[in-house]
Amino acid sequence: MTKTYRIAAIPADGIGIEVIAAGIEVLDALAAKTGTFAFRFDHFDWGSDYYKKHGVMMPADGREQIRNHDAIYFGAVGAPDVPDHITLWGLRLAICQPFDQYANVRPTRILPGITSPLRHVSGPELDWVIVRENSEGEYAGVGGRVHQGHPEEVATDVSMMTRTGVSRIMRYAFTLARSRPRKLLTVVTKSNAQRHAMVMWDEIAAEVAREFPDVTWDKMLVDAMTMRMVGKPESLDTIVATNLHADILSDLAAALAGSLGIAPTANINPERKFPSMFEPIHGSAFDITGKGIANPIATFWTACQMLEHLGEKPAADRLMRAVERVTADPSLHTPDLGGEATTRQVTDAVIAAIRGDNA
């Protein structure tokens, strides 16, 4: 019997609407090609437009509506006329944190046909996976403001790190590093300046490392890490960092690989108590919304991560081969990659590659 996966599709804002539509087309084509599984997409119109109508980014029972889905396929959140903290905390973080999607996984490599801005990098020198702690740290949401509007106004955002949270993300990162050929992990820190939580981060990393004697690991201060990523990309493989540090470093990684438009993300609940959520990194990009030129590659790569999480590794590999076949053709590069291709052309080309005999 063909297995049917229930996917909650939340395109949300901006180009998220365009690329999620493209991703659904590609996934349906892939399911038809394999013949061993199918998708049922349930569509949710949550986002900034929903907020303007209802005063909230999603309904009060929104999480209950999606908690029994097999996965969540998410577009992007953010609008020019709605404050960013409302859109982010009202939707994306309102799903990630309660669903305990504590492992944010962002693979980065240079796809065929794409040129890195690093002049000494041709491709194999840059092949990383960044593991971002996704539930606490700098985005814990602890803090507040007092005396607003007065000269003595005070605002605080408190970075909260727990032994449980740090231990589990370290263990996840070491396990992932062990599964990769180089078995190499870099732990990013800032314990020279942040002498409490980041020192605990370092200590727990050393403790967990003893469970993985086959994994080689080192430690880098986050500022030095930016230099290493640019100057010695071949020295890195798997990277683990806090919520804020990995958020910043993964954008740098995507830029070094060619474009934010190709970078995927998986928000994983490893224990599978809740559905995991898969989204492109690039954001809502309102400057190009509606122009038909958004790069859907990140959303397709994100779908590969979703398929792997669902246990459909051969299908994920088929889709990734189709993506690589398309990126290898410069005529199918969208403007963010220096080309003139449209979202429609790239989507059609990936579908054609999936249907091809050698995909």
Side-chain angles (χ1 to χ4, degrees):
M1 179 180 292
T2 300
K3 181 174 179 57
T4 298
Y5 295 105
R6 291 184 64 211
I7 308 297
I10 309 175
D13 298 332
I15 63 170
I17 296 169
E18 301 167 45
V19 295
I20 290 298
I24 289 172
E25 282 190 61
V26 163
L27 283 168
D28 280 338
L30 183 68
K33 177 67 177 181
T34 63
T36 58
F37 62 86
F39 294 104
R40 174 185 147 190
F41 291 97
D42 295 325
H43 299 268
F44 299 88
D45 63 346
W46 307 335
S48 295
D49 286 343
Y50 189 93
Y51 174 82
K52 293 169 192 175
K53 294 177 183 176
H54 303 283
V56 291
M57 293 292 291
M58 68 176 182
D61 67 343
R63 285 189 300 273
E64 288 303 310
Q65 293 184 40
I66 62 176
R67 70 176 298 148
N68 293 319
H69 283 74
D70 295 300
I72 304 162
Y73 203 27
F74 190 88
V77 67
D81 53 352
V82 181
D84 287 340
H85 68 280
I86 290 176
T87 57
L88 183 64
W89 281 95
L91 188 57
R92 186 188 175 277
L93 291 181
I95 295 171
C96 283
Q97 291 188 349
F99 279 176
D100 208 18
Q101 297 166 351
Y102 64 83
N104 180 284
V105 182
R106 298 185 166 186
T108 304
R109 61 185 173 87
I110 301 173
L111 299 178
I114 295 177
T115 302
S116 168
L118 297 176
R119 65 177 180 269
H120 61 291
V121 169
S122 61
E125 304 90 344
L126 198 162
D127 185 353
W128 308 329
V129 178
I130 297 178
V131 177
R132 169 188 176 189
E133 201 293 311
N134 206 35
S135 66
E136 51 181 36
E138 303 88 348
Y139 297 172
V142 177
R145 293 173 67 179
V146 296
H147 310 304
Q148 290 189 43
H150 296 278
E152 63 272 23
E153 180 174 356
V154 176
T156 61
D157 277 293
V158 182
S159 174
M160 302 293 292
M161 294 191 191
T162 66
R163 173 164 286 273
T164 296
V166 177
S167 296
R168 67 185 185 177
I169 199 63
M170 286 296 174
R171 197 161 281 110
Y172 186 96
F174 271 95
T175 300
L176 180 59
R178 171 183 274 171
S179 73
R180 288 169 58 83
R182 296 176 66 187
K183 293 180 169 44
L184 173 65
L185 176 68
T186 298
V187 176
V188 177
T189 184
K190 192 57 181 170
S191 50
N192 60 339
Q194 295 174 289
R195 60 183 181 167
H196 302 300
M198 293 293 337
V199 170
M200 183 181 75
W201 173 272
D202 291 350
E203 292 172 353
I204 293 173
E207 292 170 11
V208 173
R210 291 195 284 271
E211 302 173 21
F212 298 86
D214 54 330
V215 175
T216 301
W217 74 287
D218 60 5
K219 185 174 70 174
M220 290 291 295
L221 296 175
V222 65
D223 43 347
M225 185 64 172
T226 61
M227 294 187 292
R228 183 172 169 187
M229 290 170 69
V230 173
K232 296 182 178 179
E234 71 284 350
S235 71
L236 297 164
D237 187 83
T238 309
I239 300 161
V240 62
T242 68
N243 217 329
L244 175 62
H245 292 166
D247 192 8
I248 296 168
L249 292 177
S250 58
D251 275 18
L252 172 60
L256 295 178
S259 172
L260 276 179
I262 62 174
T265 304
N267 302 287
I268 303 292
N269 172 243
E271 291 76 23
R272 298 177 184 263
K273 294 179 181 177
F274 303 97
S276 295
M277 183 163 70
F278 302 85
E279 59 174 324
I281 285 180
H282 52 58
S284 50
F286 267 83
D287 57 324
I288 61 169
T289 297
K291 296 182 179 180
I293 57 172
N295 192 341
I297 292 298
T299 307
F300 300 159
W301 194 348
T302 293
C304 293
Q305 290 185 282
M306 183 168 70
L307 287 161
E308 288 190 23
H309 183 74
L310 294 173
E312 299 291 349
K313 183 68 164 59
D317 292 343
R318 176 183 288 274
L319 176 53
M320 200 68 218
R321 288 194 299 270
V323 166
E324 291 176 342
R325 186 176 302 179
V326 169
T327 62
D329 183 350
S331 72
L332 292 170
H333 287 184
T334 44
D336 61 298
L337 294 172
E340 298 180 354
T342 65
T343 310
R344 180 75 267 158
Q345 289 171 325
V346 175
T347 303
D348 288 343
V350 170
I351 290 172
I354 289 170
R355 291 172 175 166
D357 292 336
N358 298 318

